Amino acid sequence: MSVRPELRQVIHEQLHRMDVHGKIREVLAETLRDEFDDGSHNIAEEDLMKALRRRGIVDDVMKELHFLGGDHSRELTSTPKPATPFVDKQLQTPKKSKPTNIDSSRRYLHLQVLGGKAFLEHLQEAEPLPGQVCSTFTLHLHFRNQRFRSKPVPCACEPDFQDEFLLELHKDSLGDGSRMADGTTLLSICDPVQMVLIKTDISGETTLVASHFMEWRSVLGVERGVTNPTVELHGVGAECKVSVGILNVKLELYPHLKQTLSSEIVNTQLTLERQKTAEKERLFLVYAKQWWREYLQIRPSHSSRLVKIFAQDENWVNRPVCCYVRPLRAGRLLETARQAARFVNVLGYEKATVVGGGGKQEQWCTMLAFLSRNKGDCEDHCNLLCSLLLGFGLEAYVCVGTKGRGVAHTWVMTCATDGAMTFWESLTGQRYIHKPINPDDPPLVVQPKPLYPYQTIGCIFNHQCFLANCQPSDSVDLCVFDLHDESRWKPMSGEAIKSVCSPGSITSLPPFPPLCSSLIDAATESNEIELQLRVLVSEHRKDLGLATVWEDQLSYLLSPALAAYEMERCTGISAGNEEFQDAIQRAVPDGHTFKGFPIHFVHRNARRAFATCMRSPLCEEIIGCRGDQMRIAVRVRVFTYPESACAVWIMFACKYRSVL
C-alpha cells in the first residue's frame, strides 16, 4: 500500500515531535550491549521490533497517530490534511450534504447539478480574469409550480455549474396533503422537470440556448433512491437536433422509499405513457384533418385564411395552439388586467432568429423559456397576455390574422358580457373597441372609422375552444363576433381539445410557472442610469466645445411627468399634468425658454438609450443647446414589474435665457 504524500508528511512531523528516532537509537544501543555481547552486529529487524514493543514505544506512537480504518485504507484524523495544490475537475465531487429545509412529512427530490461539459461552441473562450465581465450561463428550472434559478457561471466548454435544488413531490388531491407520497403515487406524477439554459452576454442581452424536459422518475427504480443521469441539451429551433452540451446531474429522494420500485415497473409505466400520448396525438391529428376538410368545403377561399391549428415550440415539437394558453394568476404581483397588459408590453420583443434567408422562422416558446429569456416574439406576448386576462376572469382569446401590408400578426381579444369586443395589442399595451361596419347600410349612414391596425382575422382560440372564421369576408372591419353562431365561426370539438390540452394531460405542456417578483431596486437603478447619462451628455457637449451646468432642482421637477406617463400607459388615464406644468412655469423665469424631451425604453442600457435619443432632432437640439444661463437637466424613472421587467422613462430638458 502506497502512502499519500500528505500522510507521509504528517507522520514524519509526528515522529519528530515525539523524538522517536532518539528512542530507537537508545533501544538499539542497549540491545547491542545487553543482548548481543558476543560481538555479533547482525541484528534482525524482528529482534529490534520486539525490543521496541517491550519498551512500549510502538504502542505510544500508534496511540499518538490515531490510525483508523479498515483492511485496505487508513485515514489520519488527529492532524488536518494540508491543502492540495491541484484538483482534477473530473474527479472533484461536491460534499454530500443532506438538505436542511425539509418537512419531515413531505417527500422531496434533491436535484444537484455537478457541472457541465462538451459546450463546444465555447471551446476557444479563455477563462475570465477575476473581476472581468464575461458572458454567463444561467439554468432555470420549473417543476409543479416551483421555480428555481442557478447562479450565473462564466460561459466555457466545461461550465462550472455547482447548484442544488429541492423539489417537493406532492399530490394533486387536496385531501391527502398531510400524507407523504408513496412510490406508487410518485410513479403517477408525469410532470417532467423543465430545464431552460439562458446565455447573457456582457451587454445584458439574453439568448435561449436550450430547453429540455427531464424525466426524473428513473430514481424510483434504483437502490437507495440515488441516480446520476447525464442530461444532453439540444439547441432550439432549426438546431434542435444539435447537441449544445451535457449536464452532470444527481437525483436523490428524501426520505428514501421504504420499498423501492423495480426498474421494470418504472420502465413499463413510462412506456405505457408514451404509447398513450402517441395514440391521443394520433387521434387528434385525424380529427383535425377531418375538421379542416369540412372547413374547406364551406368555401374554397378558406384555404388562404390564417387558420392555425398547430404551432412549433422552441424544440420544434408540433403542439395544438390551445396548449400555449392557460389561465394564469399573478398573485399580488399584478392588480388589474390593464396592468397585466403593461407588464407584457415591457417584456422585450424579438423575432426568432433564423440562419440564412427565407423569411421569418416561427417559434412559439413555452412559458418558462419566454419568461426566463425575458423577451420573445409576438405570439409569445399574446399567449402570456391571454393567459393573464383569463386569470383575471375575462373571456379572452388569441386572434390570428394580418395587419398592414398583409403581415401575419396575433393579438388578444376580450368579450364583455354585453357583447362588446375589445382588442388588446400585446406589443404596445393599447386597447381598441371593435365596432363592425355593416356593408348593407345605405351610403348616407356614417360608418365607424377603425383605429386598430388589424386587417384580417382567420381564427381565435384559448385553452378550451378553437374557432375558425367562416364568414364571407375575413376582414376585421366587417367581422361579426357572434362566437355562438356556427354559421360565422366553425368550432372544434371541446372534447378533442381537452384530450390533448387539458391541465395534467400527459400530451399537454406542463403547468405554467408562477410569476416571480422583480429583483431590481427601482430607485438604485434609476440613479445608476441617470449618472451614466450625465457622463455621456457631458462628454458629448465637451466634444462640441460646450460647458455643461446641471440643475438638480429642474431634474427633480421632471419626476411627476414621468410618473404620469407610466400611469397613463397602465390605466389609460392622464393625471397630474396640470401640477407639472405649474411647477415648470415657476422654475423657469420670465424671458427664459424651456424644452423637454421624454422617451421610453424597456431595457436598462444607458449608452444604447443615449444613442437612440440622439437620433431625435429635438433631443439633439436640447443636448447641444447654446444660450445664456444655459442649464441642463435629466431625469430617469425605472418602473419595475414581475420577472424583473422594467419600463424606463428618460426625460432630457434645458432652460436658457432667450437672446434677441
Side-chain angles (χ1 to χ4, degrees):
M1 179 187 71
S2 61
V3 182
R4 293 197 304 265
E6 303 97 319
L7 190 59
R8 187 183 299 114
Q9 176 67 21
V10 173
I11 293 175
H12 176 75
E13 293 175 358
Q14 193 73 7
L15 294 178
H16 179 73
R17 187 176 65 84
M18 295 176 62
D19 193 23
V20 174
H21 297 88
K23 294 179 180 179
I24 292 177
R25 282 193 294 270
E26 292 178 2
V27 171
L28 180 59
E30 185 178 346
T31 303
L32 289 173
R33 184 178 58 254
D34 297 340
E35 300 183 18
F36 299 95
D37 50 1
D38 57 353
S40 174
H41 296 283
N42 296 325
I43 303 175
E45 182 180 350
E46 293 181 1
D47 299 328
L48 182 58
M49 289 300 296
K50 289 179 181 178
L52 291 173
R53 286 194 180 94
R54 282 199 303 270
R55 297 295 184 92
I57 296 176
V58 173
D59 293 337
D60 291 341
V61 172
M62 296 301 292
K63 284 180 182 179
E64 190 69 25
L65 289 178
H66 292 292
F67 271 108
L68 301 174
D71 296 331
H72 303 289
S73 62
R74 298 170 186 257
E75 183 174 357
L76 186 65
T77 59
S78 64
T79 307
K81 295 186 288 185
T84 307
F86 173 78
V87 179
D88 189 349
K89 287 186 177 181
Q90 294 182 351
L91 300 179
Q92 184 180 6
T93 56
K95 296 179 180 179
K96 184 176 180 181
S97 59
K98 181 177 180 178
T100 56
N101 53 336
I102 287 183
D103 182 353
S104 59
S105 65
R106 315 287 284 193
R107 199 177 296 280
Y108 298 87
L109 176 67
H110 188 214
L111 188 153
Q112 293 178 271
V113 184
L114 307 178
K117 58 184 178 181
F119 286 79
L120 301 181
E121 186 176 342
H122 303 276
L123 184 61
Q124 302 299 327
E125 291 191 16
E127 276 195 35
L129 299 174
Q132 179 184 358
V133 178
C134 63
S135 300
T136 58
F137 281 141
T138 307
L139 190 64
H140 296 255
L141 271 69
H142 170 231
F143 178 73
R144 293 173 72 82
N145 211 40
Q146 304 164 62
R147 281 183 68 179
F148 305 88
R149 180 176 58 188
S150 72
K151 297 184 294 291
V153 299
C155 294
C157 183
E158 296 185 1
D160 189 25
F161 288 108
Q162 296 293 333
D163 270 291
E164 50 186 315
F165 312 96
L166 197 61
L167 315 181
E168 184 179 342
L169 300 169
H170 55 80
K171 302 180 182 181
D172 293 322
S173 54
L174 298 177
D176 296 333
S178 61
R179 294 173 55 192
M180 185 180 296
D182 56 12
T184 305
T185 303
L186 295 178
L187 190 59
S188 66
I189 299 177
C190 58
D191 299 84
V193 178
Q194 186 177 4
M195 312 173 78
V196 169
L197 184 63
I198 300 293
K199 176 183 176 181
T200 307
D201 62 21
I202 56 177
S203 65
E205 291 297 314
T206 56
T207 305
L208 176 61
V209 178
S211 175
H212 179 78
F213 293 93
M214 184 184 72
E215 178 54 67
W216 59 273
R217 285 175 289 178
S218 59
V219 73
L220 302 176
V222 296
E223 290 295 330
R224 296 179 298 145
V226 181
T227 182
N228 294 81
T230 56
V231 176
E232 183 177 9
L233 301 178
H234 290 85
V236 296
E239 302 175 15
C240 62
K241 301 297 183 183
V242 180
S243 175
V244 297
I246 295 174
L247 294 179
N248 296 320
V249 176
K250 179 181 179 181
L251 301 177
E252 185 171 3
L253 285 177
Y254 283 113
H256 298 163
L257 293 174
K258 295 181 179 179
Q259 188 171 5
T260 305
L261 301 177
S262 67
S263 58
E264 291 79 7
I265 293 177
V266 175
N267 293 333
T268 301
Q269 172 71 13
L270 300 181
T271 302
L272 290 175
E273 287 182 2
R274 285 191 292 267
Q275 293 174 351
K276 187 178 179 181
T277 299
E279 180 63 15
K280 283 189 174 184
E281 291 176 346
R282 186 189 69 82
L283 292 175
F284 182 80
L285 181 59
V286 170
Y287 168 77
K289 287 182 176 180
Q290 178 61 32
W291 181 92
W292 177 248
R293 283 193 293 266
E294 294 174 357
Y295 180 69
L296 294 182
Q297 289 173 3
I298 298 174
R299 195 174 289 108
S301 61
H302 285 178
S303 60
S304 61
R305 296 188 179 182
L306 286 178
V307 179
K308 191 164 191 61
I309 304 174
F310 295 94
Q312 291 179 323
D313 65 9
E314 65 267 20
N315 294 320
W316 271 23
V317 176
N318 255 338
R319 301 182 186 275
V321 292
C322 297
C323 290
Y324 293 91
V325 175
R326 196 168 297 168
L328 178 62
R329 297 195 300 183
R332 300 189 184 275
L333 300 179
L334 297 171
E335 301 294 340
T336 66
R338 296 193 185 189
Q339 191 180 24
R342 178 58 173 159
F343 157 59
V344 176
N345 162 222
V346 298
L347 289 172
Y349 168 64
E350 184 178 273
K351 294 182 178 180
T353 57
V354 57
V355 179
K360 175 187 174 183
Q361 172 181 307
E362 188 174 90
Q363 178 178 295
W364 293 32
C365 284
T366 58
M367 192 58 66
L368 180 66
F370 176 40
L371 295 176
S372 302
R373 186 183 171 210
N374 226 241
K375 60 184 177 182
D377 211 334
C378 178
E379 294 84 2
D380 302 326
H381 286 76
C382 285
N383 292 334
L384 176 58
L385 177 57
C386 184
S387 299
L388 289 170
L389 296 182
L390 288 169
F392 276 110
L394 301 179
E395 183 182 351
Y397 302 87
V398 175
C399 303
V400 180
T402 62
K403 58 180 182 177
R405 299 182 181 179
V407 177
H409 190 63
T410 57
W411 65 97
V412 178
M413 179 182 72
T414 54
C415 307
T417 53
D418 61 359
M421 300 293 171
T422 305
F423 295 152
W424 303 64
E425 177 51 55
S426 64
L427 298 180
T428 64
Q430 291 180 289
R431 301 166 64 252
Y432 308 96
I433 304 299
H434 176 257
K435 296 179 180 178
I437 297 174
N438 188 355
D440 298 329
D441 285 342
L444 294 179
V445 176
V446 179
Q447 297 289 355
K449 186 177 180 179
L451 301 176
Y452 46 78
Y454 317 122
Q455 287 189 345
T456 66
I457 181 168
C459 67
I460 64 174
F461 67 89
N462 60 18
H463 64 300
Q464 291 179 328
C465 65
F466 183 94
L467 301 166
N469 184 6
C470 54
Q471 300 173 55
S473 172
D474 62 350
S475 171
V476 178
D477 299 344
L478 304 176
C479 186
V480 177
F481 287 95
D482 183 2
L483 304 183
H484 300 288
D485 186 352
E486 295 191 8
S487 66
R488 290 189 170 98
W489 295 92
K490 179 175 174 58
M492 267 194 172
S493 166
E495 290 299 320
I497 294 174
K498 186 178 180 180
S499 67
V500 291
C501 298
S502 61
S505 170
I506 56 178
T507 62
S508 171
L509 286 167
F512 283 179
L515 296 183
C516 293
S517 58
S518 178
L519 301 177
I520 297 172
D521 183 85
T524 302
E525 197 67 24
S526 300
N527 290 334
E528 181 64 27
I529 298 175
E530 191 170 307
L531 289 174
Q532 294 179 29
L533 288 176
R534 286 197 175 204
V535 172
L536 293 172
V537 170
S538 299
E539 291 177 349
H540 181 78
R541 288 180 60 84
K542 184 178 180 181
D543 293 340
L544 298 176
L546 301 174
T548 304
V549 181
W550 296 97
E551 183 167 325
D552 293 337
Q553 176 62 15
L554 182 59
S555 298
Y556 180 74
L557 295 182
L558 302 178
S559 291
L562 302 183
Y565 296 150
E566 182 61 23
M567 184 172 66
E568 185 176 3
R569 290 291 183 96
C570 282
T571 64
I573 301 173
S574 178
N577 192 44
E578 297 83 359
E579 293 84 356
F580 168 68
Q581 290 183 355
D582 185 68
I584 293 298
Q585 287 176 2
R586 293 176 181 276
V588 179
D590 292 338
H592 285 65
T593 300
F594 172 83
K595 293 181 180 179
F597 172 75
I599 192 170
H600 167 257
F601 297 96
V602 295
H603 64 79
R604 294 173 285 123
N605 190 318
R607 189 172 295 275
R608 180 176 154 198
F610 183 71
T612 303
C613 293
M614 291 304 292
R615 289 198 287 268
S616 168
L618 177 57
C619 184
E620 187 178 13
E621 181 183 342
I622 293 174
I623 300 299
C625 187
R626 303 167 184 263
D628 186 23
Q629 299 182 18
M630 173 69 184
R631 298 292 184 269
I632 294 285
V634 62
R635 192 64 170 173
V636 177
R637 284 293 307 275
V638 174
F639 299 89
T640 58
Y641 289 91
E643 300 296 327
S644 297
C646 292
V648 180
W649 283 96
I650 301 173
M651 190 170 186
F652 292 100
C654 69
K655 71 173 185 178
Y656 58 93
R657 189 171 70 175
S658 303
V659 179
L660 297 177

